[in-house]
Amino acid sequence: MKRIEDLTVKNLRWLNTNSYVLELSGSEATRDIRPGNFAEIRIDNHPDVFLRRPFSYLDYNKDEKTVSFFVKAIGKGTHKLGTLKKGETVNIIHPLGNSFSIPENKKVLITGGGSGIAPFIMLGRELKEKGNEIHILTGGRTSEDILFTDEFRKYGEVFCTTEDGSLGEKGLLTQHSIFSGKAFDYDLIYTCGPDGMMKAVASIAKERSIDCEASLENLMACGFGVCLCCIQETTEGNKCVCTEGPVFNINELKW
Amino acid sequence: MVDLSTKIHELELKNPVCTASGTFGYGEEFADFFDPGLLGSIFIKGLTLKNRAGNPYPRMSETASGMLNAVGLQNKGIDHFIENIYPRIKEFDTHIIANVNGSTVEEYVELTERINELDHIPAIELNISCPNVKEGGMAFGVSCPSAVAVTEAVREVYDKTLIVKLSPNVTDIAEMALAVEGAGADSISLVNTFLGMAIDAETRKPLLSTITGGLSGPSIKPIALRMVWQVYKAVNIPVFGMGGIMNATDAIEFLLAGSSAVQVGTACFIDPQIPIKIIQGIEDYMERHGVKEVRELVGGLID
């Protein structure tokens, strides 16, 4: 069930110069949250921010009734959200969208570029609980962009790429040696990040006949399937990313 | 206890707060947020005879105090609606009003005839004002002769309440209103979105796939309010006013300008519970001002 809630800012922690984790408390919706879901957050008191902004959950805690989001401050909405103070109220609609599939006892690869790693902490935890062997590959411009690696190490083996070579292998995520290695025998690949990266991962998955799920972040006005603005072209016609996604099997996409 | 009921032609509304076509789906999408049966009526997503994929992505661009959209009447067509959606929504405890679209007069007529067979749809809103389709749509609503032609043709086959939704993209809105009133409309709804556009200066590219789109939200409210007032003064049929209504005060302003009822649109994207808050807010206003019947507010502007 979707809920509209006024939550309280428990913590807003900047991780580097351009990204932060926003933790909100007081949510009655945590029991309904699945890996891949997202929330629509209202941004108040900014004259040029009219619509809500969608964010994937970074994590949630049922006992403490908290939800958290990883936010990259790239536009006026995300900058404004980053000025919230502890104790302030935030209006959110959630949980929204579909979720990733969770297989059992398989070998999976998670690929996250930039802020695209956000939904994968919850996913990693659930995949591990189901006995999967997990590899996590994250990519960014510099070492500053490679985040949450300690958390990811709890669930599987972590690899990374940076464009400037400051951490891990130098280059784009899809240039990592993992893709040319002999042990590229995954049952399922997950991907979230910039369009170009996801498409490159998807084409590798297709070449090797590996199932692949991508989480998309098309522009949305509502987030719950009425404005029909966030559509993605699929083999079955236009689908709403907010209600029929954000997670799509790549075979469905016209990439 | 105040009386919120109002009447549009033969349509008794329990309150004057309705939701605008294209911003409220088929109503059921809001069931987690509130009971859609509490509304005055629901104008459902625009229908066409055949499945329409709509325009390519991107279809939306946020603007200062509003948004542009270029959805282009995406819907699965009347057959799909009758088979799959209508059975689920027909028992809502309010009026379901169909928004009717076509690219020719014949298509408008044929679609109206199909909807006329549905017992639980007591009215149609003839959309001659969609700015986002290549054929038909707004083309019918920006010239008097074509607006008259389509209204007359639909009137011929439809005896229930006929509402005509006008485009604000005209020189003289009152003239359009008079024309459709003369052609047999029972009511007028206005305004649809204003034609606008947005550009990304960095890339020099348009922000919508169609380059132009329809502007909605509070940025259009003063113009919409003026047009509703002009139409109210010109015609003798009731008016549904809309355009940037974000709260109860906005809705009351539209009533005072001459709307018998209002449609809440884009605001539903930001606060899906806003229609209910507006109903409550109108009630509070009436109590505060000693107004017993909401109908007393209609056209109540003191000028």
Side-chain angles (χ1 to χ4, degrees):
Chain A
M1 180 187 158
K2 303 184 283 281
R3 290 167 195 265
I4 306 180
E5 298 186 309
D6 280 322
L7 304 185
T8 307
V9 177
K10 189 181 175 192
N11 195 14
L12 193 149
R13 180 169 52 99
W14 285 86
L15 303 176
N16 54 36
T17 50
N18 63 12
S19 49
Y20 55 90
V21 171
L22 174 65
E23 193 181 0
L24 306 174
S25 62
S27 178
E28 299 297 329
T30 52
R31 78 178 79 92
D32 297 325
I33 297 173
R34 306 286 310 130
N37 286 168
F38 70 98
E40 281 277 358
I41 299 184
R42 201 177 70 202
I43 293 162
D44 296 325
N45 305 319
H46 189 303
D48 289 340
V49 180
F50 180 62
L51 300 165
R52 289 174 183 262
R53 296 291 188 267
F55 299 100
S56 290
Y57 297 99
L58 180 65
D59 212 344
Y60 66 95
N61 186 312
K62 281 183 191 170
D63 300 328
E64 294 182 15
K65 297 185 174 183
T66 57
V67 290
S68 61
F69 302 92
F70 171 61
V71 182
K72 207 157 189 182
I74 45 169
K76 53 195 185 222
T78 43
H79 277 289
K80 179 70 187 172
L81 198 64
T83 64
L84 282 170
K85 300 277 176 288
K86 197 174 165 176
E88 287 189 301
T89 299
V90 177
N91 185 271
I92 111 170
I93 303 178
H94 72 144
L96 301 167
N98 68 357
S99 53
F100 293 108
S101 34
I102 313 280
E104 284 181 39
N105 305 316
K106 301 282 187 191
K107 186 175 176 188
V108 302
L109 173 66
I110 290 173
T111 61
S115 55
I117 52 164
F120 291 139
I121 286 182
M122 281 160 53
L123 177 68
R125 189 165 57 226
E126 290 218 14
L127 285 169
K128 193 180 179 197
E129 281 166 12
K130 298 286 182 189
N132 294 287
E133 183 187 349
I134 307 165
H135 287 175
I136 299 137
L137 171 61
T138 74
R141 283 200 188 89
T142 76
S143 59
E144 221 195 18
D145 300 325
I146 307 299
L147 297 161
F148 310 114
T149 45
D150 289 345
E151 186 70 24
F152 283 127
R153 278 195 194 96
K154 294 181 198 164
Y155 313 125
E157 203 173 335
V158 178
F159 308 88
C160 72
T161 62
T162 49
E163 285 170 39
D164 67 357
S166 53
L167 192 67
E169 293 185 18
K170 183 175 177 174
L172 297 173
L173 181 141
T174 42
Q175 292 169 328
H176 193 275
S177 56
I178 209 169
F179 292 104
S180 49
K182 280 185 186 152
F184 200 83
D185 53 356
Y186 301 100
D187 299 299
L188 180 57
I189 298 174
Y190 302 92
T191 187
C192 183
D195 249 24
M197 180 214 111
M198 287 196 288
K199 283 178 182 165
V201 170
S203 95
I204 294 168
K206 268 189 186 165
E207 258 169 47
R208 319 253 183 132
S209 303
I210 299 170
D211 242 356
C212 179
E213 293 183 354
S215 178
L216 310 187
E217 28 179 37
N218 295 10
L219 280 174
M220 295 174 186
C222 70
F224 42 89
V226 297
C227 73
L228 310 185
C229 290
C230 64
I231 49 112
Q232 179 70 30
E233 218 184 334
T234 75
T235 51
E236 294 166 40
N238 286 337
K239 286 192 172 180
C240 277
V241 169
C242 65
T243 50
E244 295 166 283
V247 180
F248 290 88
N249 188 299
I250 57 156
N251 294 324
E252 243 189 296
L253 301 174
K254 291 189 162 178
W255 276 2
Chain B
M1 196 61 191
V2 297
D3 179 8
L4 285 171
S5 70
T6 186
K7 202 174 173 190
I8 302 276
H9 187 233
E10 286 170 0
L11 216 57
E12 307 266 2
L13 307 186
K14 64 180 89 172
N15 65 65
V17 181
C18 311
T19 46
S21 181
T23 64
F24 203 69
Y26 301 97
E28 53 187 356
E29 295 88 339
F30 286 73
D32 279 353
F33 304 130
F34 70 92
D35 172 9
L38 296 171
L39 292 164
S41 61
I42 300 170
F43 289 75
I44 57 171
K45 172 69 188 162
L47 289 167
T48 51
L49 277 175
K50 299 271 181 287
N51 174 64
R52 271 187 71 92
N55 293 318
Y57 183 85
R59 294 176 168 183
M60 191 278 287
S61 177
E62 187 182 51
T63 64
S65 296
M67 60 177 276
L68 286 159
N69 92 81
V71 171
L73 295 174
Q74 178 180 325
N75 81 102
K76 290 187 171 155
I78 186 65
D79 290 336
H80 179 268
F81 171 74
I82 292 174
E83 279 159 39
N84 301 287
I85 301 167
Y86 179 66
R88 296 202 300 261
I89 65 172
K90 65 179 186 180
E91 302 301 341
F92 277 151
D93 187 25
T94 186
H95 304 299
I96 302 292
I97 300 177
N99 179 278
V100 173
N101 298 272
S103 50
T104 62
V105 171
E106 291 71 28
E107 277 184 22
Y108 277 103
V109 169
E110 193 182 337
L111 183 54
T112 301
E113 285 173 325
R114 298 292 308 279
I115 293 164
N116 199 17
E117 293 162 14
L118 307 173
D119 292 338
H120 294 267
I121 298 190
I124 59 168
E125 180 177 53
L126 202 61
N127 187 1
I128 56 170
S129 45
C130 177
N132 294 323
V133 291
K134 281 203 187 85
E135 287 150 0
M138 195 174 85
F140 283 102
V142 292
S143 101
C144 283
S146 58
V148 166
V150 66
T151 306
E152 277 180 348
V154 167
R155 177 78 289 174
E156 195 73 23
V157 299
Y158 194 69
D159 292 329
K160 300 176 197 172
T161 301
L162 171 60
I163 305 156
V164 179
K165 186 169 186 177
L166 296 185
S167 169
N169 303 298
V170 295
T171 312
D172 186 345
I173 193 78
E175 186 188 25
M176 290 302 302
L178 278 168
V180 299
E181 180 184 34
D186 299 314
S187 170
I188 286 166
S189 59
L190 79 163
V191 295
N192 205 322
T193 54
F194 286 80
L195 198 60
M197 70 186 274
I199 298 171
D200 181 337
E202 294 302 315
T203 61
R204 299 190 178 194
K205 289 185 174 167
L207 286 165
L208 297 173
S209 67
T210 48
I211 303 180
T212 62
L215 182 66
S216 64
S219 52
I220 70 166
K221 198 195 86 177
I223 321 178
L225 201 58
R226 180 264 295 175
M227 290 186 157
V228 164
W229 177 67
Q230 289 177 321
V231 167
Y232 170 72
K233 288 195 302 177
V235 300
N236 291 310
I237 49 177
V239 172
F240 284 91
M242 80 195 94
I245 296 175
M246 297 299 288
N247 52 49
T249 309
D250 292 339
I252 291 159
E253 290 172 21
F254 272 87
L255 296 174
L256 293 172
S259 308
S260 293
V262 297
Q263 295 183 21
V264 183
T266 305
C268 297
F269 299 156
I270 298 149
D271 182 357
Q273 290 169 332
I274 197 67
I276 294 307
K277 293 176 186 168
I278 291 176
I279 295 170
Q280 185 59 52
I282 293 174
E283 214 172 312
D284 294 346
Y285 173 91
M286 289 168 65
E287 276 164 10
R288 198 151 47 81
H289 287 265
V291 177
K292 290 197 175 64
E293 296 179 1
V294 79
R295 285 178 237 205
E296 293 170 39
L297 293 175
V298 178
L301 177 73
I302 300 166
D303 57 355

